[in-house]
Amino acid sequence: MRQFPRQVSRLALWSRQLAGFALAVVLVGIALTRWMVFPQDKGLISTASGVVLAAIALLLAIAAYVEIWRTGAIGLVRANIGALLALAILAVPLWQVTKAFSLPPINDVSTDPVEVPAFSRSRAALAARGGYVPDLPGEATRHAQQKAYADLEPVILDMAPDEAFDLVLEVAGDLKWQVIEKSAPSGRSGTGRIEAMARTVLMRFVDDITIRIRPHANGTRVDIRSASRIGQHDLGANAARIRAFAEALQDAAKP
């Protein structure tokens, strides 16, 4: 009996090739943003483009599975490679979408949503931030924070403000924050302040931090505010940073 060549699934081929290209786009976008070749917003657009391409590659793989099942075409391995690459790229965005629906769309969080610590507008702070100063959060943002992050509270230390100031600086250094301005507790109010910047692990996005240190009863009250520059939704990153700082500070204060 004469053997006829089996059909090759072009959908499977396109899925694999597009998924590979999507992976390259995502990695290049991350690398160029991390090394500051791209501005942060442009890097985010580039990475998002790769994610969109991965979604299309996954749809092509699904269509290829249907074609292979119906016609017996060759290309199952290619479709599998395309689907697995696409799913690997889409895993983090899908997780982020889940968090976006479970958390409020805010990007500015503080341990004192009533008397929110203000960011410094000094010449040194403005120069370090490129002239950028986060605005005070509005009433809606403060209410959303209180509802979503009720566990965030000031850190109360059983030590003098000047001693607490030195400890806060030490913890900020341990967390790899870049301190751009510091003012030790002094004057009538005895209030100190530390301004810093932190970068995200993967794409090195800059988030701004201000820490307020002031007397409280027989000790010191430390408030911290963390705000993201990119995006309107921080996916809980600022609250997580504040929790990490509070835990590290409390551990460092233990005798």
Side-chain angles (χ1 to χ4, degrees):
M1 181 179 291
R2 185 176 179 182
Q3 298 291 328
F4 292 94
R6 294 172 63 187
Q7 175 184 351
V8 176
S9 173
R10 287 186 171 274
L11 291 172
L13 179 62
W14 276 104
S15 173
R16 186 189 65 178
Q17 292 179 336
L18 188 59
F21 180 67
L23 179 61
V25 170
V26 169
L27 292 178
V28 168
I30 291 173
L32 293 179
T33 305
R34 183 180 177 86
W35 296 332
M36 300 183 211
V37 177
F38 275 0
Q40 291 184 345
D41 55 345
K42 298 294 190 300
L44 193 59
I45 292 172
S46 173
T47 305
S49 299
V51 171
V52 172
L53 292 175
I56 296 173
L58 181 59
L59 293 176
L60 288 174
I62 293 172
Y65 289 140
V66 174
E67 179 187 24
I68 292 167
W69 178 73
R70 293 182 60 184
T71 67
I74 298 172
L76 182 60
V77 173
R78 295 189 184 99
N80 286 339
I81 294 173
L84 289 174
L85 280 176
L87 287 172
I89 297 169
L90 293 171
V92 172
L94 288 174
W95 171 76
Q96 291 176 332
V97 168
T98 302
K99 294 200 73 174
F101 279 105
S102 63
L103 295 172
I106 60 177
N107 63 356
D108 192 330
V109 180
S110 167
T111 55
D112 188 350
V114 177
E115 190 181 347
V116 180
F119 282 93
S120 172
R121 294 180 178 271
S122 70
R123 183 175 299 177
L126 289 174
R129 295 193 181 107
Y132 175 75
V133 180
D135 295 328
L136 282 172
E139 189 65 30
T141 298
R142 300 185 195 194
H143 178 72
Q145 179 205 308
Q146 288 175 307
K147 185 177 180 180
Y149 308 121
D151 62 307
L152 298 185
E153 296 179 341
V155 179
I156 307 300
L157 300 176
D158 187 20
M159 60 181 66
D162 56 345
E163 186 180 357
F165 177 81
D166 293 336
L167 188 63
V168 169
L169 275 176
E170 179 183 332
V171 170
D174 292 340
L175 293 173
K176 309 301 181 184
W177 294 352
Q178 179 187 353
V179 175
I180 60 174
E181 186 180 59
K182 55 185 178 180
S183 176
S186 61
R188 182 177 300 177
S189 66
T191 300
R193 187 184 69 251
I194 295 171
E195 303 283 320
M197 295 189 298
R199 290 185 177 272
T200 59
V201 176
L202 188 60
M203 298 187 72
R204 308 295 289 169
F205 290 147
V206 178
D207 293 338
D208 297 302
I209 301 163
T210 184
I211 305 171
R212 184 176 62 201
I213 302 118
R214 56 184 177 179
H216 176 79
N218 295 323
T220 301
R221 169 174 169 155
V222 180
D223 282 293
I224 175 172
R225 177 185 171 194
S226 180
S228 301
R229 295 189 189 181
I230 300 294
Q232 298 300 313
H233 202 316
D234 66 6
L235 304 174
N238 288 302
R241 178 178 293 115
I242 290 175
R243 292 189 190 102
F245 168 80
E247 182 178 351
L249 184 59
Q250 290 167 338
D251 288 343
K254 293 178 180 177

